[in-house]
Amino acid sequence: LQLMNPEHNAVYTVPASGGKAVQISPAGVPENPRWSPDGKRIYFRGFKDGPNISSVPAGGGEVTVVSLRSDRGVYESAPGGGNDISPDGEKLVFSGAVRVTKDNITSYEVDIYTMPIEGGEPIKITKSPGQDRFPCWSPDGKSIAFIRYSEPAKDNTYIMNICIVSAEGGEVRQIASESDKVFWSCIDWSPDGKSIAYFSNDKTIKVIPLEGGKPRVIVNVDKLSNHAELAWSPDGKKFAYTCKGKIWIIAPDGGDPVEVKTGMSAETAKIGWSPDGKKIAFAHWTGGNHELWLMENFLPKK
């Protein structure tokens, strides 16, 4: 999938081996692509008539805006909106922002919401004292993990924590602490449901056990960004992440990362695996233009 901006804000397809790009959607600005569990549609954060969650058939076709009906004016926050799809394909989870004005001072409430995949009234499942972002579903669809920050520390910095809540809402459980050095960026639940991966402030990617405990380092990274992403492969045997505009693959138990060669020199981010593990979707930036690509056959030959 390729998005070209500002002249051609649309979704494009291109053969994995290269070739002429073909427009597969009307004008729009897709970001944060997420596959449906059956691999038939790709959901993304759109901007037509304001921020929204939209979808397009994976093979191209008409873009559908997911109707978000809310009297409070909820919209997907950025960064860290999420728009992740539940394993059963029935619900979306996203970080929703609501503008609040009190005593002529405007602020934002940012909490985690779920809603039916076909659209409808969003259901707020957290009530954060600060902000809740970067949500992702557990493999069994019963829980949602996210990053929360509350009050700033004495030096006016914010402490990020990884938290878990039931998909139906309720008590929030914190599994990380200040010593775990959670960075304000994407997290992902391991396919076996036993751990969560995150970027750390000490320039590493770590995995922390679901029940808490000391995290282990997967890989060192050269640069941190809240637009960087990481993602387990569906079978849990590979781990992808972005760093300094490139996509890397590494085994979850460590080793040497291998760059995914895209044939492009511009920066890459916003990655996501296809359900069959054969493709990676990613956003691509060049010369101020935003591009969203879909590629396969990206792993090195053995």
Side-chain angles (χ1 to χ4, degrees):
L1 295 176
Q2 180 184 21
L3 169 67
M4 306 177 71
N5 181 55
E7 295 182 359
H8 302 288
N9 297 336
V11 178
Y12 283 71
T13 60
V14 64
S17 58
K20 184 179 179 180
V22 178
Q23 185 173 341
I24 64 170
S25 79
V29 187
E31 288 186 357
N32 301 344
R34 295 290 183 266
W35 260 286
S36 61
D38 60 11
K40 294 182 179 180
R41 299 190 72 85
I42 294 176
Y43 288 76
F44 56 88
R45 185 175 190 261
F47 294 90
K48 185 178 180 180
D49 300 323
N52 62 62
I53 300 175
S54 302
S55 73
V56 64
E62 184 178 355
V63 171
T64 301
V65 175
V66 178
S67 175
L68 197 160
R69 297 188 289 273
S70 172
D71 295 336
R72 299 194 67 203
V74 181
Y75 64 92
E76 184 183 345
S77 64
N83 60 276
D84 199 22
I85 300 130
S86 61
D88 62 9
E90 295 184 358
K91 292 182 179 180
L92 281 161
V93 64
F94 66 98
S95 173
V98 176
R99 181 181 296 177
V100 178
T101 301
K102 184 177 181 180
D103 298 329
N104 294 323
I105 298 176
T106 298
S107 61
Y108 293 87
E109 296 177 355
V110 183
D111 301 290
I112 305 300
Y113 292 78
T114 62
M115 63 181 292
I117 194 74
E118 68 273 9
E121 183 74 21
I123 298 173
K124 183 164 70 170
I125 63 170
T126 68
K127 185 174 178 57
S128 177
Q131 292 195 19
D132 293 344
R133 301 199 187 208
F134 303 100
C136 60
W137 290 92
S138 64
D140 61 10
K142 295 180 179 180
S143 302
I144 292 166
F146 59 94
I147 288 184
R148 164 176 287 183
Y149 77 70
S150 301
E151 296 298 325
K154 293 180 180 179
D155 60 356
N156 208 34
T157 60
Y158 288 91
I159 305 301
M160 310 302 167
N161 294 300
I162 298 174
C163 297
I164 296 174
V165 67
S166 166
E168 305 303 321
E171 183 179 354
V172 172
R173 180 167 67 91
Q174 180 179 314
I175 68 169
S177 63
E178 182 176 352
S179 63
D180 296 321
K181 300 180 180 180
V182 177
F183 181 71
W184 189 233
S185 189
C186 176
I187 62 175
D188 196 27
W189 213 305
S190 64
D192 64 8
K194 296 180 179 180
S195 57
I196 293 173
Y198 67 95
F199 286 97
S200 174
N201 279 310
D202 59 8
K203 292 187 177 180
T204 62
I205 293 175
K206 295 178 180 177
V207 173
I208 188 169
L210 184 64
E211 299 304 321
K214 185 178 180 180
R216 64 178 177 86
V217 175
I218 293 181
V219 66
N220 295 311
V221 294
D222 294 328
K223 183 181 179 180
L224 296 174
S225 168
N226 57 24
H227 292 289
E229 290 203 349
L230 46 75
W232 300 82
S233 64
D235 62 7
K237 296 180 179 180
K238 305 178 187 70
F239 192 86
Y241 65 96
T242 60
C243 180
K244 297 182 73 173
K246 297 180 180 180
I247 302 173
W248 302 87
I249 299 289
I250 193 171
D253 56 358
D256 294 325
V258 177
E259 182 186 350
V260 177
K261 300 290 186 179
T262 64
M264 297 174 287
S265 60
E267 293 195 355
T268 298
K270 304 301 180 186
I271 57 174
W273 292 84
S274 63
D276 60 10
K278 294 181 179 180
K279 302 175 183 178
I280 280 184
F282 62 94
H284 181 64
W285 288 269
T286 177
N289 296 339
H290 301 281
E291 297 177 341
L292 187 63
W293 294 75
L294 180 66
M295 67 178 293
E296 59 185 347
N297 300 323
F298 51 86
L299 295 177
K301 295 181 179 179
K302 296 182 178 180

